[in-house]
Amino acid sequence: MYEDFERCVRAVQAKDARFDGWFYCAVLTTRIYCRPSCPVVPPKRQNMSFHPSAAAAQQAGFRACKRCRPDASPGSPLWNERADLVARAMRLIADGVVDTEGVSGLAARLGYSVRQVERQVFAELGAGPLALARAQRAQTARTLIETTTLPMTELALAAGFGSIRSFNDTVREVFALTPTELRSRAKGKPSAGAILLRLPYRKPLCPDNLFGHLVATGVPGVEEWRDGAYRRTLRLPHGHGVVALRPENGHIACRLSLTDLRDLPAATSRCRRLLDLDADPVAVDDQLATDPLLAPLVEAAPGRRVPRTVDGPEFAVRAVLGQQVSTAAARTHAARLVVAHGEPIDDPEGGLTHLFPSPEALASLDPETLAMPRSRRRTLLTLVSALTDGLDLGAGSDWAATRAALTALPGFGPWTVESIAMRALGDPDAFLPTDLGIKYAAELLGLGGPAAVVARSEAWRPWRAYATQHLWATGDHAINRMPAA
């Protein structure tokens, strides 16, 4: 996108927010970079240059605009649409892997050499993994500076900086302000407890299927709907957290309570992934609306997102528990696992009690305690064994290889595999033609049987997961309605 100069110029001149996160506009005269929708008067075209990432703009010597805050724009939808090396790397960098494991750890997770990862990421993003992680640290630092009362020394370490000097130098270089000046300019009142964030998204957004699905399938003790917000516990690299997410106009209000502030980038990334906030809804809706049967559904609820997960192994376990049973029964099975094997936590602000059990905690599970058919017990234990042996269901997983690995497990049919591909792996083209909700919608709309639906769905690629959300919403499906505030 950023290499198409004329298209980028038109987007900047139109202040088109749809392109925020796709590219960044740098102004040669002022040495400032902005998001395309920056409210200031657009620069002259001869003074514009374009960059594929905030890190690339920073490396070229530009500082972030104080007006539009380009570093806080929605992420590029490309990283959640693709499954190639660069897309997988970007998802892992957003999840904080470079900060916790270094570039060598990133490369090991991807199955490539450090040199190859650096070369391919730089070729597409204009900056290497270290520079991209540095830009993310700078944004984390700004968030903590503006929303907490932490002393700067503690804040620098929490943001991932190795020293207070590198923290000060990076903040000044990226934002042209000292950390103290950033805090003094903050509009909101800093909090001594929870961190309050605004998670931006590209409009439109239909919150019904997002929050309705998460609440209807929520596991007691791990998830709840309270005071108009979806709340849940988070298992994070350095500890645990509790998040409350509430839909607002133009953003999701996010309230995070963390046991270790170093987990802020990972927690933020997982919340964005959970709600599919980096999607490009206009591109999705435009393609789906070309089908005359889907067009009325898209028109009635533009901006539907795919509700995903904050923890791939957790969702896989829940998918197995939900095989061939009702939503209520699946919640009951999951709740029993949580009480028996989950890690207890304190939640002074609500009714959350546990983290969902990790695969390691479930490894000692006694199958006789599970009130389900013997075949499904075997499926669950086989999955737990595969997860503890290294089956990757995280943000950087290879979609095709993971599908193949899941299909090889006993008890894993197309419905379970595609459910995990949609919700845990984040594949936007995952599709469940044999799902009961899809069959009901197909009958209602006159689409025919599963074979006919699969054939027709070829025109929906690569957005069949989004088409699924529209199909599930046909008729009186309570699971796709947001609860009352």
Side-chain angles (χ1 to χ4, degrees):
M1 171 68 196
Y2 77 99
E3 295 177 331
D4 189 336
F5 188 87
E6 290 301 324
R7 190 179 179 192
C8 290
V9 168
R10 290 196 300 271
V12 171
Q13 291 175 339
K15 303 182 187 298
D16 196 333
R18 293 177 300 170
F19 293 97
D20 288 354
W22 280 94
F23 69 90
Y24 297 83
C25 177
V27 186
L28 300 176
T29 52
T30 62
R31 307 304 296 176
I32 292 172
Y33 74 93
C34 304
R35 62 174 77 192
S37 66
C38 184
V40 302
V41 176
K44 296 179 180 179
R45 58 187 295 120
Q46 63 266 30
N47 293 330
M48 296 183 190
S49 68
F50 302 105
H51 301 267
S53 65
Q58 292 168 18
Q59 279 201 321
F62 297 92
R63 63 174 176 82
C65 174
K66 298 174 185 177
R67 185 80 177 271
C68 71
R69 299 183 59 162
D71 47 302
S73 62
S76 171
L78 289 176
W79 315 134
N80 289 336
E81 294 171 11
R82 292 163 33 185
D84 55 31
L85 171 61
V86 174
R88 293 167 58 204
M90 289 301 292
R91 291 196 289 270
L92 288 172
I93 292 170
D95 206 42
V97 168
V98 171
D99 288 331
T100 57
E101 303 175 25
V103 178
S104 59
L106 173 69
R109 288 205 185 197
L110 295 169
Y112 290 83
S113 69
V114 170
R115 181 177 180 182
Q116 191 166 6
V117 171
E118 290 179 333
R119 180 175 59 81
Q120 291 202 31
V121 170
F122 187 88
E124 188 157 348
L125 275 300
L130 283 176
L132 292 163
R134 177 179 179 268
Q136 181 169 285
R137 282 196 298 275
Q139 173 57 20
T140 300
R142 181 172 194 162
T143 299
L144 292 173
I145 289 168
E146 295 179 338
T147 63
T148 74
T149 57
L150 277 178
M152 294 299 177
T153 302
E154 294 181 30
L155 192 150
L157 296 176
F161 290 93
S163 69
I164 189 69
R165 179 176 180 179
S166 63
F167 163 71
N168 286 329
D169 290 346
T170 299
V171 171
R172 278 197 297 265
E173 179 183 338
V174 173
F175 304 114
L177 293 168
T178 66
T180 302
E181 290 170 335
L182 268 180
R183 178 163 280 176
S184 66
R185 289 167 56 96
K187 295 180 180 180
K189 185 178 180 180
S191 169
I195 300 172
L196 306 178
L197 306 175
R198 293 162 60 101
L199 305 182
Y201 57 78
R202 295 176 183 84
K203 292 183 178 181
L205 179 138
C206 175
D208 284 10
N209 72 307
L210 272 177
F211 291 91
H213 191 102
L214 293 171
V215 174
T217 60
V219 178
V222 175
E223 301 164 281
E224 69 174 0
W225 179 262
R226 182 179 292 267
D227 299 328
Y230 165 77
R231 303 180 73 245
R232 72 153 292 150
T233 59
L234 302 170
R235 185 184 300 278
L236 298 164
H238 299 99
H240 72 266
V242 172
V243 64
L245 299 164
R246 183 195 313 273
E248 303 285 356
N249 183 28
H251 71 277
I252 300 294
C254 173
R255 179 181 175 85
L256 275 168
S257 299
L258 303 173
T259 55
D260 192 319
L261 288 175
R262 289 178 296 174
D263 285 326
L264 177 59
T268 304
S269 172
R270 294 178 192 188
C271 289
R272 293 193 63 82
R273 185 171 172 81
L274 171 71
L275 301 181
D276 196 18
L277 297 185
D278 290 328
D280 183 353
V282 174
V284 174
D285 290 354
D286 283 351
Q287 178 158 335
L288 296 183
T290 60
D291 187 316
L293 289 181
L294 287 186
L297 306 181
V298 173
E299 184 180 1
R304 284 196 184 275
R305 303 301 211 273
V306 178
R308 295 198 168 120
T309 183
V310 295
D311 189 310
E314 173 191 318
F315 181 80
V317 169
R318 291 170 61 171
V320 170
L321 295 177
Q323 289 178 337
Q324 299 179 343
V325 298
S326 67
T327 299
R331 295 178 71 222
T332 299
H333 289 315
R336 289 172 181 164
L337 275 189
V338 166
V339 171
H341 301 278
E343 181 182 335
I345 66 156
D346 293 324
D347 177 25
E349 298 180 358
L352 303 179
T353 60
H354 291 79
L355 299 178
F356 195 88
S358 66
E360 292 72 21
L362 293 175
S364 60
L365 179 67
D366 179 1
E368 298 304 319
T369 62
L370 299 174
M372 60 179 64
R374 188 174 301 276
S375 61
R376 200 172 315 142
R377 296 181 198 172
R378 184 171 62 252
T379 299
L380 179 60
L381 294 178
T382 303
L383 170 64
V384 170
S385 177
L387 291 170
T388 55
D389 287 343
L391 176 62
D392 184 10
L393 301 180
S397 59
D398 182 309
W399 295 345
T402 303
R403 270 188 172 92
L406 290 171
T407 301
L409 299 178
F412 274 73
W415 182 90
T416 306
V417 172
E418 288 302 300
S419 293
I420 294 172
M422 180 186 298
R423 300 282 306 282
L425 306 186
D427 184 352
D429 201 38
F431 192 49
L432 298 82
T434 60
D435 178 82
L436 287 177
I438 300 298
K439 288 182 177 180
Y440 172 85
E443 181 180 353
L444 190 68
L445 298 173
L447 291 173
V453 172
V454 170
R456 191 177 188 109
S457 74
E458 289 298 312
W460 307 339
R461 288 181 180 272
W463 310 121
R464 293 190 298 177
Y466 295 88
T468 299
Q469 304 307 312
H470 286 287
L471 293 174
W472 274 341
T474 58
D476 187 22
H477 287 231
I479 200 170
N480 276 284
R481 291 203 300 271
M482 191 168 65

